């Protein structure tokens, strides 16, 4: 990991041969940036990374996840899903880069499709959560949303197992750093109050009655 990435790193959660880290380099566009990566320690140094996926989540969604964490709602939902054998995600984020933008950046896919990047929070069988990121071919729908078209065979896949407490650390540390960034931003860019027109001073005439209220 280079020095720039280290300076941007907020927190990193490690699991077996993989990790997810939260970075502060997308706050200015209202996003939380999560890097998911897996590696193979049996490979030579410098060639150990096997998958890398960049996920950008709206800060409003991160703050909503934090609300559910702090209020106990997410723990309750996790327990209900585990009890019922429900494998649907507790949270899902669909993102990526459209085929048009990829072509504009000179990184068009060979299949001409968009690049889909998804993140899901699902219940784990041996731990509380699996925070999963996938990437692969996608298509842009009528609403501009990039829908994955890789089925169960993504080009990149990273699944980070973690306890409820570790997921809380990941989200709440991201929230704390975002709030600090916002404070610093407003200190450097103060909001100017609207200029109000000067109020006219009303002088009561000399013969006005003395009214008591």
């Amino acid at each position: 990991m280079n020095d720039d990435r280290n300076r941007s790193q907020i927190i990193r959660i490690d699991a077996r041969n993989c990790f997810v880290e939260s970075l502060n380099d997308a706050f200015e566009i209202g996003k939380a940036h999560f890097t998911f990566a897996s590696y193979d320690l049996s490979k030579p140094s410098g060639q150990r990374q096997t998958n890398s996926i960049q996920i950008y989540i709206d800060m409003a969604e991160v703050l909503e996840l934090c609300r559910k964490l702090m209020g106990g709602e997410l723990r309750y939902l996790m327990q209900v899903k585990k009890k019922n054998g429900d494998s649907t995600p507790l949270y899902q984020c669909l993102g990526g880069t459209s085929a048009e933008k990829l072509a504009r950046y000179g990184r068009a896919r060979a299949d001409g499709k968009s690049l889909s990047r998804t993140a899901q929070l699902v219940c784990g069988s041996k731990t509380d959560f699996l925070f999963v990121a996938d990437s692969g071919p996608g298509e842009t729908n009528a609403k501009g949303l990039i829908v994955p078209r890789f089925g169960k065979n993504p080009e990149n896949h990273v699944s980070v197992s973690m306890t409820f407490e570790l997921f809380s650390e990941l989200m709440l540390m991201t929230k704390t750093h975002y709030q600090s960034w916002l404070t610093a931003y407003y200190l450097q860019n103060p909001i100017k109050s609207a200029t109000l027109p000067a109020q006219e001073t009303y002088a009561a005439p000399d013969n006005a009655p003395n009214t008591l209220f």
Side-chain angles (χ1 to χ4, degrees), residues 12 15-20 35-41 43 47-53 133 155-160:
R12 169 172 157 166
R16 185 177 181 181
N17 295 332
C18 62
F19 66 84
V20 57
T35 293
F36 290 76
S38 60
Y39 50 87
D40 184 348
L41 291 176
K43 293 185 176 182
Q47 303 176 26
R48 292 175 177 171
Q49 183 170 285
T50 54
N51 290 277
S52 178
I53 306 169
E155 294 171 345
N156 289 279
H157 172 81
V158 180
S159 179
V160 184

Side-chain angles (χ1 to χ4, degrees), residues 2 7 22 47 54 59 64 66-67 132 156 166 170 173 184 190 199 206:
N2 59 38
R7 283 195 291 267
S22 174
Q47 303 176 26
Q54 309 302 318
M59 278 308 308
E64 174 62 9
C66 290
R67 182 193 67 79
V132 184
N156 289 279
L166 285 175
L170 180 68
M173 281 292 287
Q199 294 184 349
D206 293 338

